[in-house]
């Protein structure tokens, strides 16, 4: 049985019993947003924008793009400070029974995704590495839509994507699992957080989902724990993933389910991949 936040690790020929790789979570921060009637709460997270930006820049994303915090989606004046267009929106939240129930029910009637090749609407990565949902989210964000055009030629990220695209999900997951460049970049970034990162063996109860806009203007929800990528609907040519239509298709649906459940605290954090400020 796979641990929380991962699927079954790939089998490695010649290695005897399969090993289970675990990554150190990507730093810690304390900007999870509670519901309005709840006090702020510090919690281990993987959504430090500086750490995330360092990781993808080291892999080969152009410095023209960076990750930025989104502190509200309800105040237009504050939202106006976020650089646009937003190419990817990353939602971080503690796994709840409400979410797990919704995920199981939505996936129940779906087939396991088997796509590969240049004809895929999006590049989706199955997660097999423990504590790597943050990394998988970052890869989803930079591998799809307009952000892919900002990958530097001949970089580790360019080579990884070139190798990943022709592969179906399981061999693609093996590629990530066995990538020295990916592991090195992740481990280097993981120690850059504001506080000490937890050990790789620790269980992290936060999950990471990425929303991207494909080249054909569809909003996709990408989550390495699901059976495949999820098409959430059509956006306009000038819409980005932070526009109100995209929020209604994605993040607001998640928030509504959690609020209606009436169980526990509603905590979440949002980060976008968009133009750098410098």
């Amino acid at each position: 049985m796979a641990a929380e936040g991962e699927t079954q690790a790939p089998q490695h020929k010649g290695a005897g019993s399969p090993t289970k790789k675990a990554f150190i979570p990507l730093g810690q921060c304390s900007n999870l947003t509670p519901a309005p009637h709840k006090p702020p709460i510090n919690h281990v997270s993987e959504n430090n924008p500086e750490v995330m930006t360092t990781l993808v820049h080291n892999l080969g994303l152009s410095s023209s793009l960076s990750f930025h915090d989104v502190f509200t989606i309800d105040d237009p004046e504050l939202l106006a400070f976020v650089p646009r267009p937003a190419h990817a929106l990353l939602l971080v939240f503690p796994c709840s029974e409400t979410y797990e129930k919704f995920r199981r029910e939505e996936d129940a009637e779906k087939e396991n995704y088997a796509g590969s090749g240049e004809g895929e609407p999006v590049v989706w990565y199955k997660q097999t590495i423990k504590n790597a949902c943050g990394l998988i989210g970052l890869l989803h964000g930079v591998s799809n839509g307009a952000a892919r055009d900002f990958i530097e030629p001949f970089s580790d990220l360019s080579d990884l994507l070139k190798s990943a695209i022709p592969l179906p999900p399981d061999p693609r997951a093996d590629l990530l699992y066995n990538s020295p460049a990916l592991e090195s970049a992740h481990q280097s970034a993981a120690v850059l957080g504001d506080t000490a990162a937890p050990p790789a063996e620790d269980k992290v109860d936060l999950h990471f989902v990425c929303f991207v806009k494909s080249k054909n203007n569809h909003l996709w929800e990408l989550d390495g724990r699901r059976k495949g990528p999820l098409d959430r609907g059509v956006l306009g040519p000038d819409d980005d993933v932070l526009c109100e239509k995209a929020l209604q298709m994605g993040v607001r649906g998640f928030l509504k389910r959690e609020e209606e459940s009436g169980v526990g605290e509603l905590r979440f954090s949002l980060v976008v991949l968009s133009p750098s400020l410098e």
Side-chain angles (χ1 to χ4, degrees):
M1 180 69 68
E4 186 70 41
E6 60 183 309
T7 52
Q8 185 62 43
Q11 303 290 324
H12 300 285
K13 294 180 180 179
S17 300
T19 58
K20 182 75 76 176
K21 182 176 288 188
F23 278 1
I24 300 170
L26 291 177
Q28 301 184 40
C29 59
S30 57
N31 64 336
L32 286 177
T33 304
H37 61 285
K38 300 290 185 180
I41 294 176
N42 292 343
H43 204 292
V44 176
S45 182
E46 293 184 270
N47 65 333
N48 184 314
E50 292 78 17
V51 171
M52 295 160 63
T53 296
T54 297
L55 194 158
V56 294
H57 285 175
N58 287 345
L59 283 173
L61 186 71
S62 167
S63 59
S64 298
L65 295 184
S66 298
F67 287 98
H68 308 276
D69 279 314
V70 178
F71 294 107
T72 178
I73 55 174
D74 297 317
D75 186 331
E77 291 186 0
L78 288 178
L79 198 56
F81 285 100
V82 179
R84 307 290 279 270
H87 300 300
L89 178 61
L90 305 164
L91 169 65
V92 185
F93 57 94
C95 288
S96 67
E97 182 52 40
T98 300
Y99 173 75
E100 291 300 300
K101 181 175 182 291
F102 171 79
R103 178 180 66 85
R104 290 191 297 266
E105 290 175 351
E106 189 175 38
D107 279 356
E109 298 181 358
K110 296 184 181 297
E111 299 291 333
N112 288 321
Y113 181 70
S116 63
E118 293 290 347
E120 285 185 289
V122 287
V123 177
W124 176 74
Y125 300 104
K126 179 179 179 180
Q127 182 181 343
T128 59
I129 305 171
K130 182 178 179 181
N131 290 342
C133 63
L135 174 65
I136 299 299
L138 301 191
L139 291 177
H140 281 144
V142 300
S143 298
N144 290 290
R148 190 196 294 189
D149 298 334
F150 289 83
I151 296 175
E152 301 287 357
F154 311 111
S155 63
D156 288 334
L157 187 55
S158 175
D159 292 343
L160 186 72
L161 188 59
K162 183 178 179 180
S163 298
I165 287 174
L167 301 175
D170 285 343
R172 188 179 289 175
D174 286 356
L175 177 72
L176 302 189
Y177 193 97
N178 293 308
S179 169
L182 198 60
E183 182 168 4
S184 176
H186 184 281
Q187 301 296 75
S188 296
V191 299
L192 297 178
D194 296 331
T195 55
E201 295 75 17
D202 280 12
K203 180 179 177 179
V204 177
D205 69 344
L206 290 166
H207 192 51
F208 205 116
V209 173
C210 183
F211 295 93
V212 300
K213 180 183 178 181
S214 63
K215 293 292 181 72
N216 66 345
N217 297 327
H218 281 241
L219 180 72
W220 289 85
E221 179 178 333
L222 304 176
D223 178 348
R225 293 179 61 214
R226 305 296 293 263
K227 287 187 174 181
L230 299 161
D231 186 351
R232 293 308 188 194
V234 181
L235 296 172
D238 297 326
D239 290 337
D240 68 4
V241 296
L242 201 52
C243 74
E244 184 56 34
K245 186 175 182 180
L247 293 174
Q248 290 290 346
M249 292 177 178
V251 171
R252 292 198 189 278
F254 161 79
L255 297 177
K256 182 179 179 181
R257 287 191 300 272
E258 294 294 318
E259 288 172 346
E260 291 178 346
S261 72
V263 178
E265 293 170 319
L266 177 60
R267 293 181 295 158
F268 66 99
S269 185
L270 295 171
V271 181
V272 294
L273 177 64
S274 60
S276 299
L277 292 173
E278 298 178 357

